[in-house]
Amino acid sequence: MVRTLLNLAVFLATAAIALLLTSLLVPGFHVHPGGFIVAILVFAVVQALIEWLVRSLFHRAAPTIAGIAGLISTFLALLVASLFGGVGFDGIAAWILATVVVWVIAAVLGWIAGRFITPRFDKGRTGKR
């Protein structure tokens, strides 16, 4: 249970940081202050569901299509977040660039979190079952 909550916190933090950094790096991509929390929640939930669905459907080829699945889930998550008014785009170029930048940032932050946060949590456990 604690590990699930930790993963959820890391996923939400990763989404928040990725969206904020992308709004600073990509001209034409905007995170609306009033919809920031909604954007984070919608983005994180939609991306997690789509990623899970793609991995479930293509579990044997998951390493091969992980990048494509990540880009597709990021694109769709940004689409849904924009429908809720949390993010906005000034054109197709901003949409495409924001998708790639959010995906890269989220992937790097997810890797860092998995490498440094989760192992520390696991080392604290003692005893075998």
Side-chain angles (χ1 to χ4, degrees):
M1 177 68 169
V2 174
R3 184 171 174 89
T4 301
L5 291 175
L6 179 66
N7 286 337
L8 177 64
V10 166
F11 199 71
L12 289 172
T14 299
I17 294 168
L19 290 173
L20 282 176
L21 285 177
T22 302
S23 71
L24 295 173
L25 296 172
V26 176
F29 175 72
H30 312 284
V31 177
H32 303 296
F36 180 64
I37 300 297
V38 172
I40 293 168
L41 293 174
V42 168
F43 177 81
V45 168
V46 170
Q47 187 173 20
L49 289 174
I50 293 170
E51 213 169 284
W52 172 81
L53 179 65
V54 169
R55 287 179 192 244
S56 295
L57 293 174
F58 301 105
H59 63 279
R60 291 180 193 251
T64 307
I65 64 166
I68 295 169
L71 281 170
I72 291 170
S73 67
T74 301
F75 176 81
L76 293 174
L78 287 173
L79 173 67
V80 173
S82 72
L83 295 175
F84 280 89
V87 297
F89 303 91
D90 295 339
I92 190 78
W95 190 285
I96 293 168
L97 188 56
T99 298
V100 173
V101 172
V102 167
W103 174 69
V104 168
I105 292 170
V108 169
L109 291 175
W111 177 81
I112 290 170
R115 178 117 169 121
F116 297 107
I117 294 173
T118 306
R120 290 182 184 199
F121 173 75
D122 289 340
K123 285 181 185 176
R125 292 184 164 183
T126 57
K128 296 182 181 178
R129 292 182 192 210

